[in-house]
Amino acid sequence: MIEIIKTKAALDARLSEVRKSGKTIGLVPTMGALHAGHASLVERSVRENGFTVVSDFVNPTQFNDKNDLKHYPRTFEADCALLERVGADCVFFPEVSEMYPEPDTRHFSYPPTDTVMEGVRRPGHFNGVCQIVSKLFYAVKPTRAYFGEKDFQQIAVIQAMVKDLDIPVEICPCPIVREQDGLALSSRNRLLDASERLLAVNISRALFLSQAFAKTHSVRETRNYVVSMLDALEGLRVEYFEIVDAKSLLPVESWNDAGAVQGCITVYCGKTPVRLIDNIKYK
Ligand code: PAF
């Protein structure tokens, strides 16, 4: 059985022992509803560290939409089974009152990483992410922390926070894990019904097609190509698709504007609708 720890005090006591034994500590922060994407982060942490902690906490402060928080999938028993299978050492599963005994009044601001794309559409979201991730870093004091590149912007914000607060942790970005047909794995995928699931695959398909298209077309043409392909499908609505400098996250006008260029997309899928994100590397 995987060890379940519910309080910061118990976590601290357990991790002091681990540190005394000279082991490095890997942290995989999650909001539960674990899937193969999370498993790949945990497996990497297990390979690279002597002890792996996975946090499983649906963080209320990062939800700007309370309905989204209410419907966020919670599957703790299945999460524990998956974590045991992939060799995590313990799961940190606190109550909201444990992480927020008082309202967190801290404000984090790392422009432009947190003021573009998701930062515009989900006001307060990255502030909430920085609140919980900084609390987890202070509680666990990990050697390394693992984040999936599906949340490309989140990694940039967390890297800016770690630099700003001078937190001694190595941030390890990990590649997106996809279903066989290309759909990026996400806890939200389980909110899709069968027909929405079929529709959702068009997001990654459009991004992959655009990689080839981009070789002979401008940034603007590539952007329009993706947006018009997806908006033409009933049941999909592109919220934004931005082609950006992978470091600053600011939009580029030409492929030569940055050394690394990424396309980041958010699409509403289906009736509810479910908000899905994905991204692709152009260079
Ligand atoms: O990416 C997530 O699942 C969350 O934003 C994180 C990093 C676990 C913070 O709640």
Side-chain angles (χ1 to χ4, degrees), residues 29-31 38 57 59 62 125 129 132-133 147 151 154 158:
T30 82
M31 296 207 297
H38 297 110
F57 178 69
N59 173 40
Q62 71 188 76
H125 167 67
V129 169
I132 191 62
V133 173
F147 295 90
D151 294 295
Q154 172 170 275
I158 290 171

Side-chain angles (χ1 to χ4, degrees), residues 178-237:
R178 297 181 180 279
E179 299 277 9
Q180 279 218 318
D181 64 5
L183 177 67
L185 292 191
S186 162
S187 305
R188 290 171 196 270
N189 292 355
R190 58 185 91 199
L191 302 174
L192 301 167
D193 69 22
S195 64
E196 291 166 345
R197 170 66 186 79
L198 284 176
L199 202 53
V201 71
N202 289 290
I203 302 168
S204 56
R205 195 172 287 160
L207 293 181
F208 288 131
L209 286 171
S210 77
Q211 274 182 319
F213 185 90
K215 295 200 189 324
T216 50
H217 294 83
S218 68
V219 167
R220 178 198 283 260
E221 286 163 341
T222 305
R223 201 191 153 274
N224 291 342
Y225 174 75
V226 168
V227 174
S228 54
M229 192 185 311
L230 293 174
D231 275 346
L233 296 169
E234 202 184 323
L236 290 185
R237 182 169 59 80

Side-chain angles (χ1 to χ4, degrees), residues 1-2 28 30 34-54 78-91:
M1 283 290 283
I2 184 143
V28 183
T30 82
L34 303 183
H35 50 63
H38 297 110
S40 75
L41 307 183
V42 178
E43 281 162 350
R44 181 164 162 204
S45 174
V46 169
R47 277 198 308 276
E48 295 181 353
N49 301 280
F51 192 91
T52 291
V53 183
V54 177
D79 293 351
C80 288
L82 178 146
L83 293 177
E84 223 171 295
R85 227 173 27 245
V86 294
D89 294 286
C90 83
V91 55

